[in-house]
DNA sequence: GGCAAACCTGCAACGCGTTCTAGCGCTGGA
DNA sequence: TCCAGCGCTAGAACGCGTTGCAGGTTTGCC
């Protein structure tokens, strides 16, 4: 009687490794769905596991903490964003305009699912050492999005500029997620910063 | 027998209101001391209360959550920093140099008690709505420190520049506290940002 | 076929933030 | 002078992240 649920269901579905992948996917989906409803607090590990039809221990086998779980989901979102932006490159004459355009589009995506992103950002800014590499990864993706938008033109100190813009982006996201600043003023700040730093 | 501890001790110390203030102070001190030893995790509400010789309920009466407590401690530190900087104004010929100088000094202070500041930053970036005003407050103090350093000189878009520098500062602090970037590279990034943005 | 290792499941248990209860003493106003 | 109410204390209790345990099943290697 012990083993019925997931394994029974997926008995004929594929290889063991594929099932494991599917389980991890379900876990990320479940976390995202719960975050969409009630934000960070609503992402409760027992619920995530239940919704993904997976045992709690298995959840912890794949994602060693709640923050790791949410960061993995965030990394997935960031990658998706990057792909979408790759397909429709930024518009604008100058680098500053293009960067502002990209960041504005990104902000628009946030507004659609504010709770989700807030939950993930909460995980992002938790000061846990063990999540450092996940965070670095996400940060790299964000920077690459910016530097793609600058594109073509030669810009002095490009790396530094991108770093500063990445920092501003991150800070604005955190402020927004902390509740004092709406998405509009977030885009505005980013656009202003881009104008200050880029031709 | 129930009421002996704190009240007994402070029986002759002062007015009721003064005792309350003293208790709040002890709570902040206890939180800071525990943070100095073991960081965020070591700041356990029961321990804070015990060390301050105050009942747990009283701790919660004054600071309605662990994050509020740490943010109050952080606000106190920020105010102290500001005073110290007021007494010894920033050095440097240009605004950029002065800003870099101030931020470097601030970073130095962090290195002295890294765990404390990391614990407080963890609280700062937790996405809790109820702490928004405390965070805003701290942010205002940090910005005022920057804009004092720019001083005198007329700078275009001063407000925007200060906002960007504040954002970079915050982001760098978070990265540092997250474990990937040491205090030195934090000052460097800040100096570079100042140079990009200021004459 | 046999066996160890890797994965899962269900479930109990622990730690710590937070809340709640009951009771006591001081203080300020009627 | 008496009493309402606030601020405090001790301590129990609740919720949720996290860990541990005792099985079962699958897979890869001999």
């Amino acid at each position: 009687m012990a083993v019925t649920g997931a394994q029974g269901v997926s008995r004929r579905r594929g290889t063991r490794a594929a099932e494991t992948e599917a389980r991890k996917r379900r876990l990320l989906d479940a976390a995202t769905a719960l975050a969409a409803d009630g934000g960070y607090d609503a992402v409760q590990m027992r619920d995530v596991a239940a919704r993904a039809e997976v045992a709690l221990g298995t959840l912890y086998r794949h994602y060693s903490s709640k923050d790791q779980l949410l960061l993995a989901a965030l990394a997935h979102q960031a990658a998706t964003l990057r792909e979408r932006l790759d397909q429709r490159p930024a518009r604008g004459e100058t680098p500053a305009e293009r960067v502002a355009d990209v960041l504005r589009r990104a902000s628009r995506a946030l507004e659609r699912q504010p709770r989700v992103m807030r939950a993930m950002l909460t995980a992002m800014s938790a000061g846990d050492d063990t999540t450092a590499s996940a965070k670095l990864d996400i940060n790299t993706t964000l920077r690459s999005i910016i530097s793609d938008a600058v594109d073509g033109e030669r810009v002095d100190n490009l790396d530094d500029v991108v770093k500063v813009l990445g920092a501003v982006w991150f800070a604005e996201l955190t402020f927004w997620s902390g509740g004092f600043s709406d998405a509009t003023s977030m885009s505005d700040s980013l656009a202003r910063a881009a104008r200050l730093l880029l031709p």
Side-chain angles (χ1 to χ4, degrees), chain A residues 4-199:
Chain A
T4 44
Q7 289 202 339
V9 168
S10 57
R11 199 180 301 142
R12 310 191 172 286
R13 234 192 244 153
T15 105
R16 178 88 176 203
E19 282 174 35
T20 296
E21 277 318 298
R23 256 186 290 262
K24 289 181 70 169
R25 216 268 164 49
R26 288 206 305 277
L27 286 168
L28 291 187
D29 290 347
T32 307
L34 289 170
D37 283 355
Y40 188 82
D41 289 344
V43 182
Q44 306 197 354
M45 300 304 266
R46 288 169 177 84
D47 292 349
V48 172
R51 184 185 260 253
E53 294 182 35
V54 149
L56 187 58
T58 305
L59 167 50
Y60 274 94
R61 169 183 299 276
H62 293 305
Y63 303 102
S64 53
S65 74
K66 175 170 174 172
D67 286 345
Q68 297 268 15
L69 172 65
L70 284 168
L71 286 174
L74 178 56
H76 187 257
Q77 302 263 105
T80 305
L81 171 64
R82 186 158 158 53
E83 281 170 27
R84 214 175 309 162
L85 290 172
D86 279 351
Q87 296 188 342
R88 254 187 247 178
R91 295 181 181 185
E93 300 286 315
T94 66
E97 286 173 17
R98 288 195 294 278
V99 168
D101 183 53
V102 162
L103 296 179
R104 190 163 28 74
R105 275 199 260 165
S107 305
R108 206 101 48 81
L110 299 194
E111 286 179 281
R112 232 169 290 140
Q113 297 278 350
R115 287 167 189 282
V116 176
M117 194 50 69
R118 280 165 63 127
M120 293 179 181
L121 282 168
T122 298
M124 178 83 183
S125 46
D128 183 357
D129 277 7
T130 67
T131 61
S133 76
K135 291 186 253 175
L136 202 54
D137 196 49
I138 292 168
N139 215 34
T140 305
T141 304
L142 297 189
R143 282 189 193 161
S144 79
I145 289 176
I146 294 175
S147 80
D148 285 358
V150 173
D151 187 45
E153 249 103 336
R154 296 249 303 352
V155 174
D156 288 346
N157 302 316
L158 178 59
D159 275 6
D160 288 347
V161 169
V162 170
K163 264 168 91 170
V164 170
L165 284 173
V168 173
W169 193 2
F170 173 77
E172 287 295 330
L173 281 172
T174 307
F175 295 163
W176 165 77
S177 123
F180 41 79
S181 113
D182 53 24
T184 312
S185 89
M186 178 168 71
S187 314
D188 287 356
S189 296
L190 289 167
R192 264 198 299 275
R195 228 173 294 129
L196 285 173
L197 288 160
L198 289 168

